[in-house]
Amino acid sequence: MSSKEKPTLGGTRIKTRKRNIAVPLDPASFADAVVQIYLEHQGDLELIAKDVEASDLDFSRYGDTFFEVVFTGGRNQPGTTKPEEGERQPYSVLTSEATRQGILPIVLYIQKIIRRRPFMIKNLENVMRRLLQSLELYGPEDRKKLAVFTALTFSQKLSGLPPETIFTALLSDSLIAKGTVLGFVTDAFKEYLVDNSLDDLIALLKRAKMEDRLLDFFPMQKRTVEAFAEHFSKEGLGVLVDYNTKKVFDVKLKELRTTLTDQISENVDVPEVVETVKQRRRECALPDVDVVRTIWDAIMDAVQWSGKNQQQNSNLALRQVKTWGKLLGTFCTTAKLEMDLMYKIQVHCYEDAKLMKLFPEMIRALYDQDVLAEDTVLVWFRKGTNPKGRQTFVKGLESFVKWLEEAEEED
């Protein structure tokens, strides 16, 4: 007789590891357990944190539910502010006062929880994103509470919370059109700047990839520099107005520089380039000193540098100055602008090693084209205040200055 087991109609029995068996999800029971901890300690966040940390609750599975309880006091029906069945706790973000004193303890409490369970930062991100995408469901007071909370999470440097995700959640056309987003970010910026500098705020916006998109928070019909200045000045955020004004100004100069570089590279006629500069200066209200500096940068940007051939590079740069000196001369119309141009060339030659020896020849070329006056060169030589490379440049300019002085004596 065979000792082999006879086959049965039931087929082969396959053993399954216990961990692969699906466990029914029960966020309601989890939420009730968290609420009970809150109620038992009557909102004492120190004691609540200790019990939460010591509990066997499955935070890896129900992390989102935990933060729903923290923000709203319990679970809400999806897409609404209507509560689900079950008890709620009255110590949530939305039941606190819309002040730093009311909300900061909750931020510090969350910080303590996440320090023990770092993976929960993702759950916090999920819940915050959903709340911000649903701002229209909340009244002005609750929106302010969420704004203060958002500002304090970044002010307290809550580890791992990505600004990009949070700010991107606000870019809803309907929320922006109603002015809801603008009110939210205004409250958030004001709270953030209590403990942080403007540089800190700009760094935060850069991480969120929003530093160049601040006007996107405004309704479409108000996306102007004037509306931006009016709104944030009224809200006491003049530093943000100054930053944005400079940002817009820098963008205009950058656009002018790019346009001029292209025209110079293409050898467009000087009168046509002059007209371009005049038009941009008029449209953008650009100061003459910045126009002259930008023209110089564009002239240098348009040089077709030749690898490591130093002599060829020197010839190219000097030829460029001689060719486009007339363009500089059109806008360099006062002694003050001439002196500023000399300082600009000095710093440029100091910072670009391949131009160090060209400074005297460039100055001579601009003098020959009546861009720089004799008095300007002599004042710079005798009393110049910028130390960058000055000793080298003064020595290189000695023979030219001596010639000027002798010519002056003869006259």
Side-chain angles (χ1 to χ4, degrees):
M1 293 181 63
S2 173
S3 60
K4 292 183 179 179
E5 186 176 341
K6 293 180 180 180
T8 62
L9 292 175
T12 305
R13 189 172 182 178
I14 301 174
K15 291 185 178 181
T16 306
R17 286 191 175 188
K18 189 174 182 180
R19 68 182 182 188
N20 290 335
I21 298 175
V23 178
L25 297 179
D26 187 11
S29 298
F30 178 89
D32 288 341
V34 175
V35 168
Q36 287 306 314
I37 295 175
Y38 270 85
L39 296 176
E40 181 180 339
H41 295 296
Q42 299 180 348
D44 187 325
L45 294 176
E46 286 287 337
L47 297 177
I48 293 170
K50 287 181 181 178
D51 270 16
V52 167
E53 290 171 1
S55 71
D56 293 328
L57 294 172
D58 191 353
F59 291 96
S60 62
R61 186 183 293 268
Y62 303 117
D64 284 16
T65 303
F66 173 77
F67 284 113
E68 286 180 26
V69 174
V70 171
F71 276 99
T72 66
R75 295 175 65 239
N76 289 338
Q77 295 178 19
T80 72
T81 57
K82 295 180 181 179
E84 292 274 16
E85 292 183 2
E87 280 195 277
R88 302 179 78 80
Q89 55 91 1
Y91 312 105
S92 66
V93 172
L94 293 181
T95 53
S96 302
E97 293 183 3
T99 63
R100 163 183 295 258
Q101 292 75 18
I103 293 175
L104 181 57
I106 301 178
V107 174
L108 298 177
Y109 157 74
I110 290 175
Q111 194 173 43
K112 187 178 294 185
I113 298 297
I114 290 177
R115 195 174 292 134
R116 291 290 300 271
R117 295 180 173 87
F119 61 86
M120 290 183 70
I121 194 70
K122 187 64 179 176
N123 302 114
L124 174 61
E125 178 189 339
N126 292 340
V127 174
M128 284 185 70
R129 187 175 63 248
R130 288 201 295 270
L131 286 169
L132 299 186
Q133 289 171 338
S134 306
L135 280 178
E136 76 273 13
L137 301 177
Y138 300 94
E141 190 71 4
D142 284 347
R143 291 200 292 266
K144 184 173 182 180
K145 293 172 186 178
L146 292 173
V148 172
F149 179 90
T150 301
L152 290 174
T153 56
F154 291 122
S155 185
Q156 294 297 318
K157 297 178 174 57
L158 208 61
S159 177
L161 189 64
E164 184 177 359
T165 302
I166 302 305
F167 281 99
T168 302
L170 296 168
L171 298 179
S172 158
D173 291 341
S174 60
L175 290 177
I176 291 171
K178 296 173 184 175
T180 304
V181 170
L182 181 57
F184 178 90
V185 296
T186 300
D187 288 334
F189 290 166
K190 288 166 76 172
E191 183 59 47
Y192 186 82
L193 288 171
V194 171
D195 287 335
N196 301 276
S197 67
L198 177 65
D199 288 342
D200 293 327
L201 176 59
I202 300 309
L204 176 66
L205 291 171
K206 284 182 178 178
R207 284 163 49 210
K209 298 181 181 178
M210 291 299 301
E211 82 276 17
D212 294 326
R213 302 181 62 190
L214 291 178
L215 282 177
D216 288 357
F217 293 135
F218 284 71
M220 188 65 71
Q221 68 274 18
K222 293 185 178 180
R223 289 182 184 176
T224 65
V225 176
E226 293 75 20
F228 185 101
E230 181 182 354
H231 172 78
F232 284 113
S233 294
K234 183 179 177 182
E235 294 292 337
L237 292 173
V239 290
L240 197 57
V241 175
D242 294 341
Y243 166 79
N244 191 62
T245 301
K246 185 178 185 306
K247 187 82 176 175
V248 171
F249 179 76
D250 289 343
V251 168
K252 290 176 180 177
L253 284 181
K254 186 176 180 181
E255 290 173 349
L256 174 60
R257 181 172 174 173
T258 301
T259 300
L260 293 182
T261 300
D262 291 343
Q263 288 186 322
I264 292 170
S265 298
E266 295 166 6
N267 287 314
V268 174
D269 291 339
V270 173
E272 185 178 338
V273 181
V274 168
E275 191 56 39
T276 298
V277 177
K278 286 181 177 179
Q279 184 178 346
R280 291 293 183 89
R281 181 178 62 176
R282 184 172 56 253
E283 292 173 350
C284 304
L286 300 175
D288 290 338
V289 64
D290 292 293
V291 169
V292 171
R293 291 173 184 172
T294 302
I295 291 172
W296 172 263
D297 286 331
I299 289 172
M300 289 294 100
D301 289 346
V303 176
Q304 302 295 319
W305 303 109
S306 175
K308 296 182 180 180
N309 190 326
Q310 180 60 40
Q311 186 57 49
Q312 190 172 354
N313 283 330
S314 297
N315 294 338
L316 289 169
L318 191 57
R319 187 186 310 146
Q320 192 85 321
V321 173
K322 292 178 179 179
T323 302
W324 294 97
K326 292 179 182 178
L327 177 62
L328 281 166
T330 303
F331 297 94
C332 204
T333 54
T334 67
K336 188 175 181 180
L337 289 172
E338 290 177 21
M339 183 59 70
D340 190 85
L341 176 59
M342 280 203 72
Y343 282 132
K344 174 70 176 175
I345 298 171
Q346 175 188 347
V347 173
H348 194 128
C349 290
Y350 172 77
E351 293 177 347
D352 190 338
K354 60 181 174 287
L355 299 179
M356 280 288 287
K357 295 180 180 179
L358 276 185
F359 179 80
E361 295 180 70
M362 286 180 170
I363 299 303
R364 179 64 185 261
L366 293 174
Y367 169 81
D368 289 341
Q369 297 181 77
D370 295 325
V371 178
L372 297 176
E374 175 182 333
D375 289 345
T376 302
V377 177
L378 293 176
V379 170
W380 180 92
F381 183 83
R382 295 165 181 166
K383 300 179 181 179
T385 56
N386 194 316
K388 291 187 175 181
R390 177 169 172 76
Q391 189 173 354
T392 301
F393 296 146
V394 165
K395 188 173 182 179
L397 212 56
E398 280 178 348
S399 59
F400 176 53
V401 168
K402 185 177 179 181
W403 177 82
L404 287 177
E405 290 173 335
E406 289 174 352
E408 189 178 26
E409 288 175 5
E410 289 179 6
D411 291 341

